[in-house]
Amino acid sequence: MNAAVVLQVAATSAAPALLLRPWRLEDVAELVEVRRDPVLRQWTTAVVDNEVDGARWVQDQQRGWAAGEWFGFAVLEAQPGVDRGRLVGNVILKEVVPGKSAAEVGYWTAAHARGRGVAPRALEALTGWAFDTFASDGLERLELLHQVDNLASCRVAEKSRYAFDSVLPAAPPAFPRDGHLHVRRATPGRTAGS
């Protein structure tokens, strides 16, 4: 998979345009700052306490792209004419396997960007890209998992048209509480960019 994939989300009357692109080492300092947020730390498992952790995390994202196994995007507030803006979040497509009909999506939003529609808008862009890019490999459904007490994540799933499917039992240590499974299926007849 080409790591030069860049997704753009148009501005709305209430929110700036977004730019989604693969993570780069130049993102590390901002990533470390964003990941200091105690609310975000409550819902994520990867430890990013310093620049060494941040570089390791970004390199893991880059390895995922190179292997074609997972595709993490830094979500930035877009600025005209540049591919650099303020970091506002992350979206990821993972468990992509040719011939497998389902993959998983995930996301997080920086504290300073919460409540501005970043996660649903970025997730919608990722969802469209995933179905457009991997339909020929058999991708038919995307799954979104979150812990039952992560109400903000549940709202993002609902806004993004990921229908509630079931409650999943806890699977410690990575998933210490019961979870919700939300699902979105490919739209029949979907074409690139629709």
Side-chain angles (χ1 to χ4, degrees):
M1 175 61 52
N2 183 346
V5 173
V6 175
L7 307 176
Q8 297 183 6
V9 179
T12 68
S13 59
L18 300 175
L19 178 78
L20 286 65
R21 59 141 171 86
W23 285 90
R24 301 175 181 164
L25 287 174
E26 68 192 51
D27 299 321
V28 168
E30 205 170 4
L31 171 67
V32 171
E33 184 61 33
V34 165
R35 294 291 295 260
R36 287 190 174 124
D37 171 34
V39 173
L40 183 56
R41 291 171 80 97
Q42 175 183 356
W43 305 118
T44 58
T45 56
V47 175
V48 180
D49 286 335
N50 53 50
E51 294 217 358
V52 171
D53 293 340
R56 186 178 306 119
W57 189 89
V58 168
Q59 289 165 340
D60 283 346
Q61 303 311 304
Q62 293 171 337
R63 277 190 287 280
W65 275 94
E69 296 171 349
W70 71 87
F71 306 93
F73 289 85
V75 180
L76 309 167
E77 282 186 355
Q79 297 178 356
V82 298
D83 69 348
R84 184 78 207 140
R86 188 172 187 196
L87 179 65
V88 292
N90 171 69
V91 290
I92 188 167
L93 173 67
K94 50 190 174 180
E95 299 180 19
V96 179
V97 177
K100 184 178 170 192
S101 63
E104 184 181 343
V105 296
Y107 49 85
W108 50 256
T109 305
H112 65 267
R114 289 192 194 116
R116 296 176 35 216
V118 167
R121 293 169 62 226
L123 182 58
E124 186 62 32
L126 177 73
T127 298
W129 174 79
F131 284 135
D132 288 347
T133 303
F134 298 103
S136 63
D137 290 336
L139 182 65
E140 299 173 357
R141 123 190 194 134
L142 293 174
E143 299 177 344
L144 185 159
L145 302 128
H146 66 82
Q147 294 180 142
V148 294
D149 53 345
N150 188 339
L151 302 178
S153 203
C154 203
R155 286 190 299 274
V156 168
E158 291 167 353
K159 287 179 185 177
S160 302
R161 298 178 288 140
Y162 278 74
F164 175 77
D165 183 82
S166 58
V167 174
L168 301 175
F175 222 64
R177 295 175 200 81
D178 288 351
H180 282 175
L181 170 63
H182 295 261
V183 173
R184 182 147 164 202
R185 297 187 187 285
T187 305
R190 180 180 169 84
T191 58
S194 65

